Amino acid sequence: MAGAVAYAYKGRDGAGKVVKGKVDASSEGAVITRLRTMGVQPISISEAGAGTGLQREVSIPGLGDRAVKMKDIAVMSRQMATMIGSGLSLLRTLTILADQVDNKRLAKIMAEVRDDVETGVSFSDAVGKHDKDFPPLMINMIKAGETGGFLDKALESTAENFEKEVALRSTIKSAMTYPVVVLVMSLVAVVIMLLFIVPIFQDMFTNLGGQLPLPTMILVYASRAMPYVVPAGIVVGIAFSIWWRTNKNSVKVRAFLDPLKLKLPVFGALFRKIAIARFSRNFSNMIGAGVPILTALRIVGEVSGNYVLEEALVKVAESVRQGESIAGPLTDSGVFPSMVTQMISVGEDSGSLQTMLEKVADFYDQEVKSTTESLTALIEPLLIAFLGVVVGGMIVALYLPIFQITSLIK
């Protein structure tokens, strides 16, 4: 927490034994509250210096302070739900998490959240201060659970949601790892051949004299250009990666790329299924947690991962605000298949919208899994064929002049 200070304390534990230590807190009052939560009766409290020499904590940027990942949040939410559901106080739970979380950045954040809660800030507001690390879905689920008195259930629902999201991402990553590795290896092999192998053959052909075949000439020209192309490609790649990190979430970029993703010949259907699975799961969990439907629609749109779907949900929210149904605007958007809109319509009419959304999410989770497996089965032979054609074609182009060596020597 901003303004947190290190305090040295001395106190007695439940057995009457004198204990000493250090804690980071915003004030002495916060230190006292935390010590009492830990079962320690304070005797003396004083500010502790940062330390000097070998006692000073060394922090190297980029090391030990990795970003908070979805898996970290899922594990933390599950632990919190378990501890709060078992009767532990919120402060005690936050203290335990701040001490045992492996991710140092997340541990630091949980310590800051605990300090805020100690000073009287609500848990949802304390978590909301870290909206760059915690998704809006989680913040609003906590707020709904805190308001309704079912925080443990809200956290459990959040954990289940993020666990399924992690499983979905893992399925896609594991399916695409092999094709990506093969593609990268083939590109590296081509670059190595053009940089180091082709020049050797080129010198041999030059000494022999004669006219080289067209495929070999093309290969020679490509080899001559490669020392310029590779550095330029590295520079362009670095510049693009920097630009992409800065602008990938901008409205202009998303409005241009996201519709194209859904129209891709092979991968478009996969992107659509992923977006629908994410929408259904998030919407179901937020409705189940008691989040107002307009708020839920806004947040679900923001975390859907696709601009087209987000814009469609904005229109849905406007329709709901005017007293209309959810299914109607979803049908008009053209983004959602008929099965999805029909199940949502039935859920609205029967009062079982959450259940229907869960079924849609489960169905599309399975669809994503089977689609990725099918794509992997299709891509693998295509990549192997591509690698064979490229590398094999280069080898043939290199050895074509060898067939002329006998005539050149004569």
Side-chain angles (χ1 to χ4, degrees), residues 5-65:
V5 179
Y7 287 91
Y9 69 86
K10 183 166 68 172
R12 294 185 183 277
D13 60 14
K17 183 181 178 181
V18 176
V19 292
K20 298 179 181 179
K22 290 183 181 180
V23 293
D24 292 332
S26 57
S27 64
E28 289 190 11
V31 176
I32 294 173
T33 303
R34 189 178 311 167
L35 290 177
R36 287 176 177 170
T37 303
M38 296 164 58
V40 176
Q41 186 63 33
I43 298 174
S44 64
I45 298 172
S46 60
E47 286 192 19
T52 59
L54 295 176
Q55 293 180 337
R56 184 181 296 275
E57 182 178 353
V58 178
S59 178
I60 302 175
L63 293 178
D65 196 24

Side-chain angles (χ1 to χ4, degrees), residues 258-308:
D258 286 354
L260 295 179
K261 289 180 182 178
L262 299 181
K263 295 177 183 178
L264 288 174
V266 178
F267 292 92
L270 177 61
F271 289 136
R272 186 183 299 271
K273 289 174 182 178
I274 292 171
I276 293 174
R278 186 175 290 139
F279 154 76
S280 305
R281 186 187 314 108
N282 292 341
F283 197 22
S284 171
N285 285 329
M286 296 201 80
I287 290 175
V291 178
I293 193 164
L294 290 176
T295 304
L297 284 170
R298 175 181 59 80
I299 295 169
V300 167
E302 291 175 358
V303 300
S304 64
N306 191 280
Y307 182 81
V308 178

